[in-house]
Structures are given as C-alpha cells and as structure tokens.
Amino acid sequence: MTADGDPLRRLAAFTPARIALGRVGASLPTREVLSFAMAHAQARDAVHAPLDAAAMVGQIQALGLPTVQVRSAAASRGEYLRRPDLGRRLSAPSVEDLARLKHPACDLAIVVADGLSSAAVHLQAGPFLAAFTRHAQARSLRLAPVAIAQMGRVALGDEIGALLNARAVAILIGERPGLSSPDSLGAYLTVNPSPGRTDAERNCISNIRPDGLSHERAAFKLDWLVGEALRRGITGVGLKDESDLVLLVPPRPRAALTDDS
C-alpha cells in the first residue's frame, strides 16, 4: 500500500491504459467518462477521415523522394471498411499507371497507406521517412518512387512492390486506433513481393509514434530488417528482429546490397 492508500496510482503514471480511474459510488468519475468519450471519438475520426494525399506528396517530396499516387479497388471509404479484400488489391487504373512506369529493378519499394488511421500517416510517415532515408542512403539502397495509396490494406504493398520490380516492399500504414493511440503507425516488410503473400511472410514494426516507438528507433529497426531480408531472402517468421543486438557490439561498415549479396 502506498502512502496515499492507493497502490494503483503509481502504476497509472507508467501507462496510458485506463487503470486507477477511481469511482463515485458505483460509477466512474465524470472526468473519466468524458475522457473515454473523447478517446472514442478520436478513434472513430481516425478510422473514417480520408487521407490527404496532396499533403503527403508535399511531405515526402520535401525529403527529396519521388512519389506516385495509387488507389485500392475500394470505391469509397465505406466500402473499404466493409470489404477488406478490396483494400488489398489495386484499382485497374492504378495497375495500368504502375505498369506504364516500367520501373527498373530496385531494392526497396516504400508504400504509404492510410489503413485504419489517416491521422497516423499524416503525423508519423514524414518524420519516419526522414529518419529512414538516412539509413537507406548509407546502405546505398535503390529505392522506387514512394507510392501513396488511398484506402489500402497491408497486402496492397505486395502488388505495388511487384509492379515496381522491387526486391522488397515496406508499407507504412495507419494502425487500428486504440482508445489511447489513434495516431499509431505500423511498418510491414515483405521480401520478393507478389500478390498472395501471407502475413506469416512479413515482419511488422508497430506503435511508431512519439509516445511509442520513436521514429529514429523504428527507422533503425527497419533498416536492419531490410538488410537481413535482402541478404538472406526471407522475411516473416523466418526472420527474427535482432536489431537490438547491434547496439551491443561495435558497428562495422555496411556494404551496398546487390542482387547477389
């Protein structure tokens, strides 16, 4: 028992989870009821708000990265939420646009998709890419234009990566919002992308946001995973994230990744 008689109060300072809320009779205090209602409204807004593709183009091009815009096969936000399968496929015009590029072979295609939180993409994708670009330059990665995808699910990256002739694809996507994290970004990496790849064949970096995994730390993890994925030709359950071990040993120069590395 703590000095103030409530052992949960100290624990509440270490987590945004709703613990030690207190009570008034058999009910929650009014402030906690209002806080829950606000968090629920923010989560709903994150799910329903459309992606501002023009703003994302501006953010990403300001980093010196070329972009291309695509859409999934979902015709509207409502259909996208009701039909996850449509969010995993490109629209026919987008397929034609990417095929028309005839993009040469590259190491990595990056996709930025709204997913279930456009707010997460607006807030986190730019800073994350700024951090990751420095790693990509140090590794001499050949990058495809960043694909900005509206109403996309994770698997949409596989089709985009294949059309851009990429050895691997990383999709940055707004995660399903929780009641304390409506702005959380996820990054999914898949080597040898093609339609039909499963979730077991991807690596995931989750909770990218200032109150979760920092942009710099997430970029470091993705860089490590990309390097190992291209070197070993695997992602998913066969590739364990051991990036934290790198911090325990002296760094060594990183060689550029070639097709036969």
Side-chain angles (χ1 to χ4, degrees), residues 49-70 110-115 117-130 145-151 171-174 185-186 215:
L51 177 70
D52 188 341
M56 290 310 308
V57 168
Q59 281 192 47
I60 295 170
Q61 290 186 348
L63 300 174
L65 299 172
T67 61
V68 59
Q69 295 189 53
V70 297
I110 299 174
V111 180
V112 176
D114 45 7
S117 175
S118 59
V121 175
H122 293 148
L123 292 171
Q124 318 304 345
F128 173 83
L129 284 174
V146 177
I148 300 171
Q150 297 186 59
M151 295 182 288
I171 181 167
L172 313 180
I173 192 165
L185 186 76
H215 303 123

Side-chain angles (χ1 to χ4, degrees), residues 1 8 170 192 210 243 247 259:
M1 189 73 70
L8 292 179
N192 300 324
S243 58
L247 302 176
D259 286 336

Side-chain angles (χ1 to χ4, degrees), residues 45-254:
D45 287 347
V47 169
H48 290 283
L51 177 70
D52 188 341
M56 290 310 308
V57 168
Q59 281 192 47
I60 295 170
Q61 290 186 348
L63 300 174
L65 299 172
T67 61
V68 59
Q69 295 189 53
V70 297
R71 297 176 63 94
S72 75
S76 67
R77 190 72 184 175
E79 185 176 55
Y80 166 75
L81 293 173
R82 293 190 302 270
R83 292 281 306 276
D85 58 309
L86 296 179
R88 301 183 185 112
R89 307 197 317 262
L90 284 170
S91 66
S94 292
V95 172
E96 295 172 1
D97 289 343
L98 293 183
R100 196 178 299 119
L101 289 177
K102 296 181 179 179
H103 195 272
C106 60
D107 296 313
L108 181 68
I110 299 174
V111 180
V112 176
D114 45 7
L116 292 175
S117 175
S118 59
V121 175
H122 293 148
L123 292 171
Q124 318 304 345
F128 173 83
L129 284 174
F132 179 73
T133 299
R134 294 191 290 272
H135 291 284
Q137 291 172 344
R139 201 180 283 280
S140 300
L141 289 178
R142 299 169 297 169
L143 299 178
V146 177
I148 300 171
Q150 297 186 59
M151 295 182 288
R153 302 276 179 168
V154 171
L156 190 70
D158 297 332
E159 187 174 10
I160 295 171
L163 287 167
L164 290 176
N165 203 14
R167 297 173 64 197
V169 63
I171 181 167
L172 313 180
I173 192 165
E175 296 183 313
R176 187 183 306 276
L179 291 177
S180 61
S181 56
D183 59 346
S184 180
L185 186 76
Y188 293 79
L189 176 69
T190 311
V191 78
N192 300 324
S194 63
R197 300 300 297 270
T198 68
D199 288 340
E201 297 171 293
R202 318 183 202 285
N203 288 88
C204 174
I205 303 170
S206 185
N207 197 32
I208 304 171
R209 60 191 182 101
D211 292 331
L213 187 66
S214 72
H215 303 123
E216 292 288 344
R217 189 63 177 271
F220 173 80
K221 283 181 171 290
L222 182 60
D223 172 64
W224 187 91
L225 286 168
V226 168
E228 290 301 301
L230 297 182
R231 182 176 69 86
R232 298 162 58 183
I234 55 173
T235 45
V237 296
L239 178 60
K240 303 303 181 185
D241 181 3
E242 297 177 338
S243 58
D244 290 342
L245 298 179
V246 177
L247 302 176
L248 303 178
V249 299
R252 61 182 181 181
R254 292 179 295 187

